Amino acid sequence: MIVDSKCNELLKTANMVSASLSGLQSLDTDRVTSIMSILDVSEGVRMLVTDHAGTVVYDNNTAFSVMGRGLMLAEVYTAFNGMDAFRCAYKGGAFESVAAVPVLYKSELLGIVCFHEVDKDSGALLLGIQTYLRNITLLVIVCSAALMVFFTIGFRRRLGKLSGAIDKIKGGQYEHRVVVGGHDEITDLASEFNDLSGRLQKTEELRRRFVSDASHELKTPLASIKLLADSIIQNEDMRMTDMRDFLADISNEIVRLTRITDHLLQLTRLDVDLAETEPEYLDLSDIARRAVRLLQPLAQAKGINLHIDAAPECIIEAGEDAIYQVVFNLVENAVKYNIPNGEVHVLTYVNEGNVFCLVDDTGIGIPETELSRIFDRFYRVDKARSRETGGTGLGLSIVRQTVEECGGKVWAENRSPRGSRFVVSLPYRGEAVGLEVR
Ligand code: ADP
């Protein structure tokens, strides 16, 4: 920009001088000096005029005058060829500009006007701007580098905390939580990580409790079997009838062991989502009727009146064996934990988009405080009674897990004046088999 404005300014003035001189028939020192003395040309610009032979006839610099000599400048040669010429260069902190224009009289070249200017002010201004820009650039680079180092250290420190936490979890310290601070993706990652380790911790606790409960449950019948077998071995004179009783007890314990391992296997399969049967559209009423039919002999043996009211088309989506096991466990419990000559009533119906299966009994009931715990693995209100009736404490856990897997809910309530009610609610899927929405 500076160069453009200099070019315009110098060429304009040079052309103005050239126009003033073009009235002269020839350029000599006297005529040129007299014309130049009346022209108002800016100070600080060296002005030179040559005649048609290239000899300087006017030089406003008296100290270093080149009067009578030739001008060896490319711009001067260009001007002698009839064209304006301009050159500007930045050198030694100043702008040095040279402008040369021909002086013509009726197309005849009388000489040339040459301006030479050394502009230190603009040079200093440019130098100032250059230094300022350099300083700003340096400052920006230093600040960016400092910020980069700062963020990199912070980033590494926070990532280090995360990776340290991962190592701790790998080492089994599931209770470890990580705090990284800030509000960015690493903070989100840390909170996700804490969530995950929380879940791992819970799962690990459950697993430990389950393993310890399971081994305890398995140890009890095994200890009884060992005791009974030892008694037979040590007692050489044991009567045949006693021995048969002992063996019958051993057989009962083996049946119990088998039942526990069956239930454990069933739970493990549910845990790893290995349902034995593929889900299909089933009528829960059919399933309930089948379970009731199968448990009728047990109910009769205990003098219990077992009956069912099953509504038609209670369509659900579930694995047949799994859902049969659910109803069977609930009805079996209702019979097991009943009183002599008690009642068990099974009811199925559809209401507001859900299929319900209610199992009511007139049995011993469940203390209010235990109602939510009876679905926990190995939980039994009365251990002795459960053992007596061949219970494992796993039936209701299987029920809850299966029902939840089918998208339903199960809960227990106490009935007035006595007994309990177990409710299973599953989504109604009648519309999937062409029935109306209910
Ligand atoms: P179990 O094999 O001991 O029957 P469950 O998981 O089926 O195990 O039941 C857990 C506990 O819930 C039982 O031990 C019993 O104390 C209680 N329970 C279950 N069903 C009933 C019921 N219908 N009436 C009273 N108590 C029940």
Side-chain angles (χ1 to χ4, degrees), residues 333-334 336-337 361 364-366 374 379-382 386 391-396 420 422:
N333 277 352
K336 270 191 334 189
Y337 299 105
D361 65 52
I364 56 171
I366 301 157
I374 51 171
Y379 192 81
R380 282 162 286 191
V381 178
D382 180 348
S386 163
T392 63
L394 292 171
L396 288 181
S420 45
F422 281 79

Side-chain angles (χ1 to χ4, degrees), residues 12 22 27 39 71 89 93 102 116 120 151 193 205 228 233 264 295 331 342 346 364 381 389 410:
K12 201 172 128 199
S22 62
L27 299 180
L39 288 177
L71 286 178
H116 178 238
K120 286 194 175 143
F151 281 120
F193 174 83
E205 275 164 19
L228 291 163
I233 294 164
L264 282 175
L295 284 162
V331 180
V346 180
I364 56 171
V381 178
T389 52
V410 57

Side-chain angles (χ1 to χ4, degrees), residues 184-370:
D184 56 9
E185 283 77 6
I186 299 188
T187 328
D188 294 348
L189 201 67
S191 117
E192 293 285 323
F193 174 83
N194 286 341
D195 244 34
L196 196 72
S197 48
R199 264 186 261 167
L200 271 177
Q201 185 182 8
K202 219 164 129 198
T203 312
E204 180 59 14
E205 275 164 19
L206 283 175
R207 190 190 66 83
R208 285 210 185 120
R209 212 177 70 207
F210 181 66
V211 170
S212 106
D213 287 352
S215 33
H216 175 79
E217 292 298 324
L218 292 172
K219 249 188 336 202
T220 320
L222 281 174
S224 306
I225 291 170
K226 168 116 179 60
L227 203 75
L228 291 163
D230 281 352
S231 309
I232 296 172
I233 294 164
Q234 281 154 19
N235 194 344
E236 285 174 7
D237 310 321
M238 188 179 257
R239 285 185 302 150
M240 203 54 193
T241 48
D242 291 341
M243 195 182 297
R244 288 183 77 86
D245 285 348
F246 275 39
L247 286 172
D249 287 344
I250 289 177
S251 169
N252 284 339
E253 289 303 313
I254 290 171
V255 169
R256 211 157 86 77
L257 263 180
T258 315
R259 198 173 306 131
I260 294 174
T261 43
D262 278 353
H263 279 175
L264 282 175
L265 272 176
Q266 223 170 319
L267 273 173
T268 315
R269 279 201 203 98
L270 285 168
D271 276 348
V272 291
D273 256 356
L274 269 181
E276 276 168 19
T277 46
E278 282 293 306
E280 51 190 309
Y281 299 111
L282 306 163
D283 187 342
L284 187 62
S285 295
D286 290 345
I287 306 273
R289 273 191 286 263
R290 190 145 61 88
V292 165
R293 210 167 34 246
L294 215 89
L295 284 162
Q296 227 26 289
L298 178 74
Q300 273 164 19
K302 292 184 157 242
I304 287 161
N305 181 13
L306 169 60
H307 53 99
I308 178 166
D309 275 330
E313 295 162 349
C314 292
I315 307 298
I316 55 160
E317 187 180 8
E320 185 169 354
D321 293 348
I323 213 68
Y324 174 77
Q325 196 63 52
V326 165
V327 183
F328 186 92
N329 281 356
L330 293 177
V331 180
E332 190 189 30
N333 277 352
V335 173
K336 270 191 334 189
Y337 299 105
N338 218 315
I339 50 163
N341 302 320
E343 293 266 334
V344 173
H345 183 209
V346 180
L347 184 67
T348 57
Y349 60 93
V350 182
N351 187 33
E352 293 183 352
N354 285 306
V355 174
F356 289 88
C357 175
L358 270 53
V359 181
D360 290 350
D361 65 52
T362 51
I364 56 171
I366 301 157
E368 280 302 315
T369 49
E370 318 281 314

